[in-house]
Amino acid sequence: MSTKSIYQDRRIRKSKAALKESLIAIMKQKDFKEISITDIVQTADLNRGTFYKHYQYKEELLEEAIDDVIKDLIDSYREPYQEVEVLIVSKLSSSTIKIFDHVEKYSNFYSLLVKSNVLFELQKRICDELKKLVLQDITNQPLQHNINANLIASYQANAIWGMISEWIQSEFIYSAAYMAEQLLAILHLNSAKNTYRET
Amino acid sequence: MSTKSIYQDRRIRKSKAALKESLIAIMKQKDFKEISITDIVQTADLNRGTFYKHYQYKEELLEEAIDDVIKDLIDSYREPYQEVEVLIVSKLSSSTIKIFDHVEKYSNFYSLLVKSNVLFELQKRICDELKKLVLQDITNQPLQHNINANLIASYQANAIWGMISEWIQSEFIYSAAYMAEQLLAILHLNSAKNTYRET
DNA sequence: AGTTCTATTGAACAGATGTGCAATAAGTTC
DNA sequence: GAACTTATTGCACATCTGTTCAATAGAACT
């Protein structure tokens, strides 16, 4: 049994890679909605049947192209926060803060997605992943006040993504450090506001 | 000058209404991606050219169908929170809480959107609107701690939407009141966690 | 090496797309 | 009501879509 058997057929790898590369290349010129399957297979120099052998629609191809980026996002989140430049409020914050570094790293790709109006596929993917990660953190430290784990996880995940999408649409005029600062400031603000109203 | 002149041509109104109605009807049976323009105009009993006269793609038609729902969402947010069933943490909370009532009111429509995998168009629209509303609230009460208004607005808007989408995907197993309770509990939790870590 | 397996190809097909045009129907304005 | 304006229609067209098929080429396994 060779080690190659667990991987895909080399022909499949090559075809898929060519298709992804072509899609991203065309996305730099055309809006995603305007790109046809014929466009993709022509620049990839492949038969149209080859596309349909592996994918149903171009969105599915894009999804696979995003996979690598998502993997890095997860790594960023899991990576322990070493440099203590700013005051850390909680472990949740320290993890999510790292994500801004990841987005900055892939800012070109993210911008491309925004420009092509395919932000929403990405949005779902990212929020789903963030939610899973938050859920894992939550299960370690049991919840007070009868908080619903799924709800707070979605709350946190989408809140973070809200800041990220705002950042992307601003064409990255802020630094990752500034984004991290802002997240901390917002969490502090919630704290201050609540204690003010409660006393 | 008649009062009708400011409104659309009656023919346009009728055509658009028929197209929207047909789209929603078909969406109850087919996945959004599988619905063709020909499908829509056939059930609407209109010429295909009529569709292209007003819209470019079916997504644009759907967007218009969502408009009415969005209008109600904005009304829900703006409506002052009268019934004090639960402890109100802040004015922001009291406004956002009303949104859960709105979503429950349109739960059938929201479920339909989720089922048809067109949640993302909706998501963008809603988060955009929520952000605007939050921004209006913020400008009234100036920010402390050098908080970036756009960032906190997106943070809040997407966080709320995160809970909403979680709610929808759970097929509305929770009541609107429970959702409101949970939002308050999450805000309280942030407060508690922060003060704990800071002292 | 030879054998088996399967990805890719090219061709063909019905259906959908997006656009254009002249004819007609329906709306608006006075 | 008459004149003007424009939405809708039916038809046609080239292109794209999604699928099927036999033929071929390439990869995997012994």
Side-chain angles (χ1 to χ4, degrees):
Chain A
M1 183 184 291
S2 75
T3 57
K4 292 177 184 174
S5 56
I6 58 169
Y7 297 109
Q8 275 179 325
D9 191 310
R10 181 191 298 151
R11 292 169 295 182
I12 299 179
R13 285 204 313 271
K14 284 186 178 177
S15 295
K16 284 191 167 186
L19 289 171
K20 283 181 212 169
E21 197 180 344
S22 302
L23 175 62
I24 292 178
I26 303 172
M27 277 173 62
K28 288 174 182 167
Q29 299 157 351
K30 277 192 196 179
D31 193 84
F32 184 75
K33 210 163 247 159
E34 311 300 328
I35 299 174
S36 68
I37 310 293
T38 308
D39 281 340
I40 299 171
V41 294
Q42 270 177 2
T43 55
D45 195 29
L46 288 172
N47 189 277
R48 216 173 62 255
T50 303
F51 176 91
Y52 287 108
K53 178 87 183 185
H54 301 297
Y55 309 101
Q56 291 195 57
Y57 1 81
K58 51 187 178 177
E59 285 84 357
E60 219 171 306
L61 173 60
L62 177 68
E63 198 179 341
E64 232 181 69
I66 292 176
D67 277 346
D68 305 327
V69 183
I70 295 283
K71 284 198 186 81
D72 188 86
L73 175 121
I74 296 172
D75 290 343
S76 298
Y77 189 96
R78 291 223 171 97
E79 173 186 341
Y81 199 66
Q82 305 290 5
E83 326 146 24
V84 189
E85 303 169 0
V86 288
L87 180 65
I88 306 308
V89 170
S90 68
K91 186 169 180 305
L92 176 68
S93 301
S94 72
S95 295
T96 53
I97 282 167
K98 257 298 175 192
I99 288 172
F100 293 127
D101 291 327
H102 154 80
V103 177
E104 191 172 53
K105 179 175 167 190
Y106 285 94
S107 56
N108 284 337
F109 188 71
Y110 278 94
S111 298
L112 178 62
L113 291 177
V114 173
K115 185 179 160 297
S116 300
N117 290 326
V118 286
L119 191 57
F120 312 114
E121 281 296 320
L122 174 74
Q123 193 166 343
K124 178 184 169 37
R125 293 291 314 281
I126 288 191
C127 286
D128 282 353
E129 294 295 341
L130 283 176
K131 189 191 153 198
K132 283 183 209 163
L133 293 164
V134 172
L135 270 176
Q136 288 173 17
D137 277 354
I138 285 175
T139 47
N140 291 339
Q141 42 175 34
L143 290 171
Q144 312 97 308
H145 306 320
N146 291 330
I147 298 269
N148 183 310
N150 274 314
L151 288 179
I152 193 173
S154 283
Y155 179 99
Q156 301 272 15
N158 282 270
I160 300 298
W161 170 252
M163 293 185 69
I164 292 175
S165 81
E166 191 69 25
W167 192 24
I168 295 171
Q169 278 160 23
S170 79
E171 287 176 310
F172 297 97
I173 58 175
Y174 315 119
S175 70
Y178 177 79
M179 295 299 295
E181 270 176 38
Q182 286 292 312
L183 175 57
L184 290 174
I186 289 173
L187 293 177
H188 275 291
L189 184 68
N190 280 343
S191 163
K193 183 163 54 183
N194 290 357
T195 48
Y196 168 75
R197 301 269 171 178
E198 281 165 356
T199 12
Chain B
M1 182 183 294
S2 74
T3 57
K4 293 177 183 175
S5 56
I6 58 168
Y7 297 107
Q8 275 180 324
D9 192 309
R10 181 190 300 154
R11 290 169 295 181
I12 299 179
R13 285 203 313 271
K14 284 188 178 177
S15 295
K16 285 191 168 187
L19 289 171
K20 283 181 214 169
E21 197 180 344
S22 302
L23 174 61
I24 292 177
I26 302 172
M27 276 172 64
K28 289 174 183 167
Q29 298 158 353
K30 276 192 197 180
D31 193 83
F32 184 74
K33 211 162 249 158
E34 311 299 329
I35 298 174
S36 68
I37 311 294
T38 307
D39 281 340
I40 300 170
V41 294
Q42 270 178 0
T43 55
D45 195 28
L46 289 172
N47 190 277
R48 214 173 64 254
T50 303
F51 175 91
Y52 287 108
K53 179 89 185 182
H54 302 298
Y55 309 101
Q56 291 195 57
Y57 1 80
K58 52 185 177 177
E59 284 84 358
E60 220 172 303
L61 172 60
L62 177 68
E63 197 177 342
E64 233 182 69
I66 292 176
D67 277 346
D68 306 325
V69 183
I70 296 284
K71 283 196 187 81
D72 187 87
L73 175 120
I74 296 171
D75 291 343
S76 299
Y77 189 96
R78 290 225 172 94
E79 173 188 339
Y81 199 65
Q82 305 289 6
E83 324 147 22
V84 190
E85 305 167 358
V86 286
L87 179 65
I88 306 307
V89 169
S90 68
K91 187 170 179 305
L92 176 69
S93 300
S94 72
S95 295
T96 53
I97 282 168
K98 258 297 174 193
I99 287 172
F100 294 126
D101 290 329
H102 153 81
V103 177
E104 190 171 53
K105 180 175 166 188
Y106 285 94
S107 57
N108 283 338
F109 188 71
Y110 278 94
S111 298
L112 179 60
L113 291 177
V114 174
K115 183 180 162 298
S116 300
N117 290 325
V118 285
L119 191 57
F120 313 115
E121 281 295 323
L122 173 74
Q123 194 166 343
K124 178 184 168 37
R125 294 291 314 282
I126 287 193
C127 287
D128 283 353
E129 294 295 341
L130 284 176
K131 189 191 153 196
K132 284 185 208 160
L133 294 164
V134 172
L135 270 176
Q136 288 173 16
D137 278 353
I138 286 175
T139 48
N140 292 338
Q141 43 177 34
L143 291 171
Q144 311 97 307
H145 307 318
N146 292 329
I147 298 269
N148 184 310
N150 274 313
L151 287 179
I152 192 174
S154 283
Y155 179 98
Q156 300 272 14
N158 282 271
I160 300 298
W161 171 251
M163 293 185 68
I164 292 175
S165 80
E166 191 68 25
W167 192 23
I168 296 170
Q169 277 159 24
S170 79
E171 288 175 309
F172 296 96
I173 59 175
Y174 314 118
S175 69
Y178 177 78
M179 295 299 295
E181 269 176 38
Q182 284 292 311
L183 174 57
L184 292 174
I186 288 173
L187 294 176
H188 275 293
L189 183 66
N190 280 342
S191 163
K193 183 164 52 183
N194 291 356
T195 47
Y196 167 73
R197 301 267 171 177
E198 281 163 357
T199 15

